Amino acid sequence: MRYLFLLGFILTSLSSYSQKITRQDSLRGSITPQRAWWDLVHYDLSVEVMPESKTIIGTNVMTYKVLNEGPNELQIDLQAPMKLTAVMQDGHSLDVRSEGNAHFIQLENPQREGELKKISLSFEGKPRIAKNPPWDGGITWKKDSNGKHFIASSNQGIGASVWWPNRDHPADEVDSLDMHVTVPKDLVDVSNGRLVHIDTDATTKTYHWTVKNPINNYGVNLNIGDYVNFSEVYKGEKGPLDMSYWVLKEDEEKAREQFKQAPMMMEAFEHWFGPYPFYEDSFKLVQAPYLGMEHQSSVTYGNRFKNGYLGRDLSGTGEGLKFDFIIIHEAGHEWFANNITNKDVADMWIHEGFTSYSENLYLDYHFGKESAATYTIGTRDKIRNDRPMIGTYNVDKEGSGDMYYKGANILLTLRTIAQDDDLWRATLRGLSKEFYHQTTTTAAVENYIANALNLDLTPFFNQYLREKDIPTFEYKIDKKEMHYRFNNTIQGFTMPLRIKINEKYIWLEPTDIWQCLDVPKGTSTVQIDRNMYVDIRKM
Ligand SMILES: [Zn+2]
């Protein structure tokens, strides 16, 4: 998610770009010495949610592996006004040195290399209320039309530490997760993975959810409401896949109709990206009191059961009304964001670029290549080319919001350059396999693609990811000769370019140096293949 809420989006982009880097940004965004010596293994997160007082109280029992003997301090993140109330290890209460949202736990017992250790983090408070979820996250406290509580967490960007204590950096994920969520007895909690057990007492119910696969922090979520559930079994590439839908009672009928797109999504994405990455945890769509978010194996949905983006077509071409934007985009993140996760949010284009491109691939699968191209090309007028898609490393700073539509358009351009749709599909499927359940970097992803396509893509990625501008193809025609080059590029930029001269397509290898081509007499203009995201200028 985290895409286009236009105004909010401009403001976030500008402010995060001009912002000074603070000590808190470094503590949050880097592998500090107090994070470097240990590796996450498991979270067992128990929370009680009290809607009347908008309070959360809980304990996260974290298991970690000691990688090497460190500084005897362990960093945990938790944002005010939430408070760490107790930290325990091996039956002892530990002291904590806090610096803003970073809490350095003073370990007493030896931490021996290779050892698995547990630490228990108790916390409570009234967590930040989400002002504009999911972009400006926290907890949303709403009520449905029957007056029942409808509550959800959403915390991409701001971080999961807005409501529970954890290691709030994307490079390291737990291998598995358990959640025990206690809610008033008349409500249901839907979280990640599979529901294994419900404990009932006089006034509350506790829902135990379990996730068998690695999961990123920001994907961990609570959804509490008067839910009903329906489900189906999808015959997928890896066998039967449980697809389960949780919606408010009042919306069940609409959901049963609209969610027919969920198996269509699964079919298209398994074709292009390979098997859904979390069969063990099932796939769920969960209604939420905000637009939606890619929470792993419990994708949240609030698109009003309409096609498009809240009923609108983001591409302006009509193609965007052929699918429910939130079902397709947020579920696309299961492959890019949840399966393949950035190690640093500076590389978040890996999440949003590929996922925006997944909208194209959904259309391609069900409506054809031209429909898909028209859609992606239609989103180009939302690209700003204001700053690079890659952000600043180690300080929790994302790149330009162009990572969505520019990301999709450069992938469409690459597919055109590949000139082999089977190889392109094999490359996409290969990414899901190569980086299966891993966190990774732009460098690793671009290397993989270049090797798979057997192309030197260094200038391509340097231009499109690390610069703000896109290349301009400049040409002039003098009788029977066309002179052409790329301008507005990094030095030495080159990429194959497919152009149309006199109704015929040919490939050129322009560089930033003028070259010459014989053209038929009377040629006055040329066109670039519309699938390639390049400007053109006749001199
Ligand atoms: Zn997204």
Side-chain angles (χ1 to χ4, degrees), residues 1 329 333 352 404:
M1 169 51 75
H329 179 94
H333 276 305
E352 300 301 349
Y404 295 84

Side-chain angles (χ1 to χ4, degrees), residues 40-44 60-64 174-178:
L40 277 172
V41 175
H42 184 77
Y43 291 132
D44 191 340
N60 180 17
V61 178
M62 180 178 90
T63 307
Y64 61 93
V174 283
D175 304 327
S176 59
L177 167 83
D178 282 278

Side-chain angles (χ1 to χ4, degrees), residues 179-190:
M179 287 177 84
H180 306 265
V181 182
T182 303
V183 297
K185 213 165 91 174
D186 61 331
L187 298 173
V188 176
D189 169 69
V190 187

Side-chain angles (χ1 to χ4, degrees), residues 155 160 192 215-221 293-296 298 338:
N155 48 243
N192 310 80
I215 179 168
N216 51 41
N217 281 345
Y218 82 87
V220 174
N221 74 149
M293 177 53 70
E294 65 252 31
H295 300 115
Q296 184 172 315
S298 60
N338 296 340

